[in-house]
Amino acid sequence: MAGRVMHAVQYGSCGGGPSDLKYVEVPVPAPKKDEVLIKVEAASLSPIDWKIQQGMLKPMFPKGLPQIPGTDVAGEIVEVGSSVKNFKAGDQVVAMIHFSIGGGLAEFLVTKANMVVIRPAEISAAQGAGLPAAGLMAHQALTDSAGIKLDGTGKPVNVLVTGASSGVGHYAVQLAKLGNTHVTATCAPEHIEVVKSLGADEVVDCTTPDGAALKSPSGKKYDVVIHCAAATSWSTFEPHLASNGKIYDVNPTLSTIKTYTLKKLTFSKKQQIPVLLSPKGENLEILVKLMKEGKIKTVIDSKYSLSKPEDAWAKNVDDDHVLGKIIVEP
């Protein structure tokens, strides 16, 4: 597709807002030998997208400017690199691009073939596009970090998911319920019924005193906390943790790092542990399989057009009120 142009959304500097996103024409990228070129059918936004635009993750991200944001997409492969043998033109796929590169808010993108998974016909483009970053983070926190088995085996575990209506949170509730767990969830009052429908055993309104205090309505102590909400003090968590309770923080702050270090140094059995996403293609395959089987789904907050990205971006910035995932379609 050399010489062709496409539409994309990009920004030229860090520190701006929704109005700094520009709908532009740029050359269609060419895949390197280990990459595939995908025609995008749907992309989803994540909080990290606006944080990168704000310059909050410098000097790691963005890798360069101008930047086409977005890491999670679903679409159709139109070209494969010379060393790619497991995909072909015409394959329907779900894919994730590295945060440092981006490229999802465009009509076409290139990404490494090792983060591309075949999308079964049972999964819509929008459902698939919501899955990669948020689903992988929830899966990593629950399985790799907390050690919960998603086949229902293992000892019973009391789990708290904070921010349970968020992108990561709503997948965490669904995945946790595949294990031998009792799941308590916190969310905004307008999202309670949806979070209940995802399988949570008890849901607490985070705007109430008990919700803000993270109290379980049934009085349970938490063995595992998947913390997807805003920064919360250790003193709020600690009274509700089991004797060996662990908090896995998917949005770690400097305070998280300090608490993690202090608890390690004092050999505390109760700990707060930062979780940094390490995307793996095999885990994305697991998630796509679970979605095909109807065991998890993407809750879609809203859909927007690629040609009018400002409203989608503004809603993404206000992520406390997002239910599930925001989808952008060419």
Side-chain angles (χ1 to χ4, degrees), residues 81-100:
S82 60
S83 66
V84 176
K85 306 302 181 186
N86 52 334
F87 297 105
K88 65 184 184 303
D91 284 344
Q92 299 289 322
V93 295
V94 174
M96 182 176 177
I97 315 101
H98 195 273
F99 295 116
S100 65

Side-chain angles (χ1 to χ4, degrees), residues 190-310:
E190 63 269 25
H191 299 155
I192 287 175
E193 291 307 314
V194 173
V195 174
K196 283 182 179 178
S197 75
L198 298 177
D201 296 288
E202 48 189 17
V203 184
V204 186
D205 178 350
C206 67
T207 65
T208 65
D210 280 357
L214 305 179
K215 289 183 179 179
S216 163
S218 57
K220 295 185 182 300
K221 299 288 187 180
Y222 307 122
D223 303 299
V224 169
V225 177
I226 306 300
H227 183 42
C228 308
T232 302
S233 67
W234 173 258
S235 62
T236 301
F237 283 118
E238 197 276 336
H240 309 295
L241 294 177
S243 58
N244 291 303
K246 305 288 190 298
I247 303 159
Y248 298 97
D249 193 339
V250 306
N251 299 306
T253 63
L254 184 58
S255 176
T256 307
I257 307 301
K258 288 179 178 178
T259 301
Y260 169 72
T261 304
L262 176 62
K263 299 304 172 184
K264 279 288 189 182
L265 289 174
T266 57
F267 302 100
S268 173
K269 291 182 179 180
K270 297 181 180 181
Q271 295 180 11
Q272 185 168 10
I273 301 165
V275 182
L276 301 176
L277 180 59
S278 178
K280 297 177 182 177
E282 57 265 36
N283 289 343
L284 186 55
E285 285 188 5
I286 290 170
L287 292 172
V288 168
K289 182 174 184 290
L290 290 172
M291 184 170 280
K292 177 186 177 182
E293 294 170 350
K295 293 179 179 177
I296 62 172
K297 66 178 181 179
T298 300
V299 173
I300 297 174
D301 177 277
S302 48
K303 292 183 179 181
Y304 296 88
S305 169
L306 181 69
S307 63
K308 300 181 187 295
E310 298 90 346

Side-chain angles (χ1 to χ4, degrees), residues 122-141:
E122 294 89 343
I123 301 175
S124 70
Q127 283 277 319
L131 195 54
L136 286 168
M137 176 62 92
H139 182 272
Q140 180 180 321

Side-chain angles (χ1 to χ4, degrees), residues 29-105:
K32 297 176 182 176
K33 65 179 184 178
D34 60 346
E35 295 178 334
V36 297
L37 176 66
I38 298 172
K39 182 179 181 181
V40 178
E41 295 176 27
S44 71
L45 296 180
S46 301
I48 195 171
D49 295 323
W50 68 261
K51 292 176 182 178
I52 292 172
Q53 188 210 20
Q54 285 291 306
M56 296 167 68
L57 298 177
K58 281 186 172 183
M60 293 186 295
F61 312 136
K63 189 174 182 179
L65 292 168
Q67 171 87 344
I68 299 173
T71 61
D72 300 1
V73 303
E76 179 181 329
I77 292 179
V78 294
E79 188 178 341
V80 301
S82 60
S83 66
V84 176
K85 306 302 181 186
N86 52 334
F87 297 105
K88 65 184 184 303
D91 284 344
Q92 299 289 322
V93 295
V94 174
M96 182 176 177
I97 315 101
H98 195 273
F99 295 116
S100 65
I101 301 169
L105 295 192

